[in-house]
Amino acid sequence: MSVGDSDYRSALPVLALILILLMAGCAALPSSGPTPEDIEREIAAADPPDEVSATVDVRRTIDGETTHYTEDIWLRADGRSRVETNANGAETVVVDDGDDRWHYDPAADWATRLETDPNATSYLQGIYEQQERYLEAYEITGVEEATVDGRDTYRVTFDPPTNETIERSISVLIEDTEYVLPLATSEGEPAQRGADRVEVWYDRETLFPVKHAIEGDGVTLERTYRNLEIDGGIDDERFAFDPQSSTGNETSVETITFPSINSYETVDAAEDAVPFEVVEPSADAMPDGLELESIDAYEFHDENRTQVSLQYRTPDDETVSVTTSDGPRRFATGGDAVPVGTARGTIAGTDEGTELQWPCGGRYYSVFAESGFDEETAIAVGESLETGC
């Protein structure tokens, strides 16, 4: 054995010790993690999984009043979904089987059935599209690793623009009335609220938003997905719904059908497509800045009714719409009696604005003025219509 071999062998334990120390040192070094740019690319590129099921814990506080409820959800990328909500002991069930969307109130034993819009965004797809909208509107200001209900996540902080306000609602996950948090004062006026903080915890593997938090002027909202299963195999029976078998009773079912909608470039073109004359407001009666934005004809098949709506918009996005119809609206807003020319109508204020409506000569007319306008605007526009009354 040469001297060189002996020196090499005697040095092995020392080399091994140095290697162990170096490896230990590397393991102890903190990981820098992904940058905001990395996360932005990953969120933008993420696709929804085929299936998601979870219990969603929802907690919201508005002006010191806290509401807490849970939702058991089963979602599929093909659009089928089931949401069972329990709020203070009151239960509701919403099931979309791909053809029909059921809303069921077990306590009242009452259900509504709506035909599923084939072009509508699915609940699951909408969750991911909401994240893309955050990227378009906000800036990512922080990324850190975190854990939510045992899942490894990225906690991402979005910084809203300083002039961002939430006027009437916060659309949290999807643009659907069931998942919108309304914001209004006790007097019913729209509340102007700013979003100071938006945070989302994304599952590291799928970029699914397992937690969502908003904080702003007197408002906090959190949605946390617990017992989350992704592509766990959901039984098809989850998306089948028969209201009669839910209680064994004769459940009251109301069927609602979506109208057919056609848009037109001119009032004359819309008038040629419907069996009645379409009225237009006088320019003198319209507030300054309103411009005709859209002309839409709606055919309500279940009501045997057609209407044409003209929508006018200001540069500040305040709207006034004028509608002519050949039949009464099924869900018309009530209100106080008011004269409109020689006709008698009703006027009502809602969180969204003022609605004036009245019948005349077998036709039905309405004017809706958004909350930025007063009742006098709706009345002036209505009285300017040449309806023959």
Side-chain angles (χ1 to χ4, degrees), residues 35-366:
T35 65
E37 291 76 16
D38 295 333
I39 288 293
E40 184 170 346
R41 284 193 296 269
E42 289 189 36
I43 294 173
D47 291 320
D50 292 332
E51 296 181 344
V52 167
S53 62
T55 295
V56 186
D57 187 81
V58 183
R59 187 178 300 273
R60 69 189 187 200
T61 301
I62 302 178
D63 296 332
E65 183 176 345
T66 299
T67 303
H68 177 225
Y69 60 93
T70 60
E71 295 175 343
D72 291 318
I73 66 168
W74 296 266
L75 312 175
R76 277 191 177 163
D78 62 9
R80 285 181 285 180
S81 64
R82 184 184 186 99
V83 180
E84 299 179 359
T85 303
N86 188 319
N88 298 321
E91 298 181 4
T92 57
V93 179
V94 180
V95 179
D96 193 328
D97 62 12
D99 296 319
D100 296 303
R101 184 184 180 96
W102 293 89
H103 296 239
Y104 177 56
D105 182 345
D109 202 16
W110 179 78
T112 60
R113 182 175 67 86
L114 295 85
E115 182 181 351
T116 299
D117 183 352
N119 298 317
T121 300
S122 71
Y123 188 161
L124 187 53
Q125 180 67 41
I127 292 174
Y128 280 73
E129 289 185 0
Q130 179 68 36
Q131 312 314 310
E132 295 178 9
R133 285 191 286 272
Y134 282 142
L135 294 178
E136 294 172 359
Y138 301 156
E139 178 185 358
I140 295 178
T141 58
V143 177
E144 62 182 57
E145 297 180 352
T147 302
V148 175
D149 198 41
R151 281 187 171 268
D152 293 332
T153 66
Y154 295 123
R155 179 180 179 178
V156 179
T157 302
F158 293 89
D159 183 18
T162 55
N163 61 350
E164 178 76 8
T165 58
I166 302 169
E167 296 183 356
R168 297 178 185 84
S169 63
I170 299 175
S171 179
V172 178
L173 296 175
I174 62 173
E175 294 179 352
D176 191 289
T177 53
E178 291 145 26
Y179 310 106
V180 170
L181 169 63
L183 302 176
T185 64
S186 58
E187 293 79 21
E189 295 298 324
Q192 301 287 335
R193 302 179 186 269
D196 302 324
R197 179 181 68 92
V198 176
E199 292 186 351
V200 184
W201 286 253
Y202 294 98
D203 176 67
R204 294 187 202 174
E205 182 178 353
T206 63
L207 274 299
F208 185 87
V210 298
K211 185 176 179 180
H212 184 120
I214 290 177
E215 283 189 5
D217 301 331
V219 177
T220 61
L221 169 68
E222 284 192 0
R223 291 176 61 91
T224 306
Y225 289 74
R226 307 193 186 281
N227 304 318
L228 177 66
E229 289 191 23
I230 295 177
D231 294 337
I234 302 174
D235 193 321
D236 288 345
E237 289 300 313
R238 284 287 184 189
F239 309 109
F241 184 75
D242 179 3
Q244 311 302 337
S245 65
S246 298
T247 62
N249 300 325
E250 189 66 25
T251 301
S252 175
V253 177
E254 180 177 5
T255 299
I256 301 174
T257 304
F258 288 109
S260 301
I261 305 174
N262 291 297
S263 298
Y264 299 92
E265 294 294 329
T266 66
V267 173
D268 287 343
E271 197 168 77
D272 289 341
V274 298
F276 52 80
E277 182 180 349
V278 178
V279 297
E280 297 181 71
S282 166
D284 294 339
M286 300 292 279
D288 293 339
L290 280 171
E291 297 288 344
L292 181 61
E293 180 186 58
S294 62
I295 305 169
D296 298 309
Y298 299 78
E299 185 176 358
F300 297 87
H301 304 283
D302 56 335
E303 300 179 41
N304 192 27
R305 182 175 70 85
T306 302
Q307 74 176 44
V308 174
S309 295
L310 314 180
Q311 180 162 282
Y312 299 81
R313 186 179 297 275
T314 70
D316 296 328
D317 285 337
E318 292 286 349
T319 62
V320 171
S321 61
V322 176
T323 297
T324 307
S325 178
D326 60 2
R329 292 161 48 204
R330 176 184 293 181
F331 301 107
T333 304
D336 300 324
V338 63
V340 186
T342 59
R344 298 291 294 178
T346 60
I347 191 166
T350 69
D351 289 345
E352 299 297 323
T354 300
E355 181 156 4
L356 172 68
Q357 54 193 357
W358 69 100
C360 171
R363 299 287 179 257
Y364 296 81
Y365 304 94
S366 67

